[in-house]
Each structure stands twice: as C-alpha cells, then as structure tokens.
Amino acid sequence: AAESKPFGFHRFNPGPGWGGHCIPVDPFYLTWKARSVGMHTHFIERAGEINIQMPHYVVSHVQRALNDARKPLNGSKVLLLGIAYKPNLGDTRETPAFVIWKLLNEMKAEVSYYDPLVPEIRGHLAKDLSFLQGVQGVADAQIGERVKETDVIIV
C-alpha cells in the first residue's frame, strides 16, 4: 500500500547484506562511541550481526536448492549476477558478494561472475579474499552461454 503513495516512499528490496565504505563500518563505530559514554545500542549491534550472517544465509539457500535438485554444491557451477554493492555502480568495497564467493569456494563450487560495471576485480581486498584479485568477469558476448551451463545463479 505504501508504494501507491505519490510522496515519501522508497521501495526497499533486501539483499545479501550491506556493502560500501560506510554502512558496514559506521554503525559499529557508533556502537563503540555509545559504549564509551555508557550507552547501549542493542538494535544497531543486532542489525550488524544479521548483516554479517547474510552471506551464510544465502549460501545455505543455494545448498538447499541444489540438494532439492539432487546436486552437490561441490563441483556445481555458480554464477554471481552482479558483484558491486549497489546497482548501477562499479564499487565492490565491502560487497557481500565476495564473502558469498569465498564461502562457495570453500565448499568447492565453481564460481564466476557477471557485472558489466566490474569487468575485473581490482583494488584492496582483505587477506582472505586475495584469491579474487585480477579475476575477470564473464564477457557480455559469453553471458548467454554461461547462463545455460550454470547450475545456480545468485542475483
């Protein structure tokens, strides 16, 4: 009903976690600062905990979907469709897609990605994500074929 109003509405479509340079970090700073003056921020802390768990939640759903199709995650071809932390932007700082990729990689899935705004993974990566440095995305000309041979697509 709120979406039908002509003002003050912004549609919210939840995803696999927060990304970017501020939203994943700033709430924890706010929590730390509040504690330094004797205040507690339970709601902010809980939101951060949920956000940190979202990639695990996504991977568990992928594993369950493959299981329902009688396929193991080990060896399955997984395509991440979009890896930037928000639409229409090529910024991958703190993107949950990298954590999802790491979890899938640990479970021996064959992971690739398509994001026309991120043709190659570059820049600063956490030490546990360094295996992604220089990985190139699926080219526009190859995406149709890649989709056909993929077991799971994560958007």
Side-chain angles (χ1 to χ4, degrees):
E3 189 173 8
S4 66
K5 304 298 179 237
F7 55 88
F9 176 78
H10 181 73
R11 182 175 183 83
F12 176 68
N13 294 311
W18 299 327
H21 64 286
C22 61
I23 293 178
V25 177
D26 289 355
F28 293 108
Y29 171 75
L30 180 61
T31 297
W32 172 81
K33 191 65 174 168
R35 278 192 188 143
S36 74
V37 294
M39 297 181 74
H40 297 283
T41 56
H42 301 292
F43 186 75
I44 295 171
E45 291 172 35
R46 186 65 186 128
E49 292 167 4
I50 290 169
N51 184 62
I52 289 168
Q53 288 303 313
M54 285 305 294
H56 297 273
Y57 178 80
V58 170
V59 171
S60 72
H61 277 271
V62 168
Q63 193 169 24
R64 206 170 305 133
L66 285 168
N67 190 47
D68 288 348
R70 299 184 182 274
K71 294 191 83 152
L73 184 52
N74 184 334
S76 287
K77 292 182 169 115
V78 179
L79 176 64
L80 301 177
L81 196 54
I83 62 168
Y85 76 87
K86 69 181 185 178
N88 304 316
L89 190 68
D91 193 342
T92 59
R93 290 177 290 175
E94 303 294 328
T95 180
F98 289 170
V99 179
I100 291 168
W101 193 327
K102 177 182 173 250
L103 295 170
L104 291 167
N105 199 46
E106 288 171 354
M107 299 174 112
K108 309 291 190 258
E110 296 176 26
V111 183
S112 60
Y113 80 94
Y114 174 75
D115 191 326
L117 298 174
V118 186
E120 180 180 342
I121 299 173
R122 288 182 269 140
H124 176 75
L125 292 169
K127 190 178 266 187
D128 64 333
L129 298 173
S130 62
F131 70 95
L132 295 172
Q133 192 67 260
V135 172
Q136 294 189 346
V138 177
D140 289 341
Q142 299 170 327
I143 190 61
E145 191 59 38
R146 183 61 60 94
V147 166
K148 289 178 190 173
E149 64 188 30
T150 296
D151 298 304
V152 175
I153 299 173
I154 300 174
V155 179

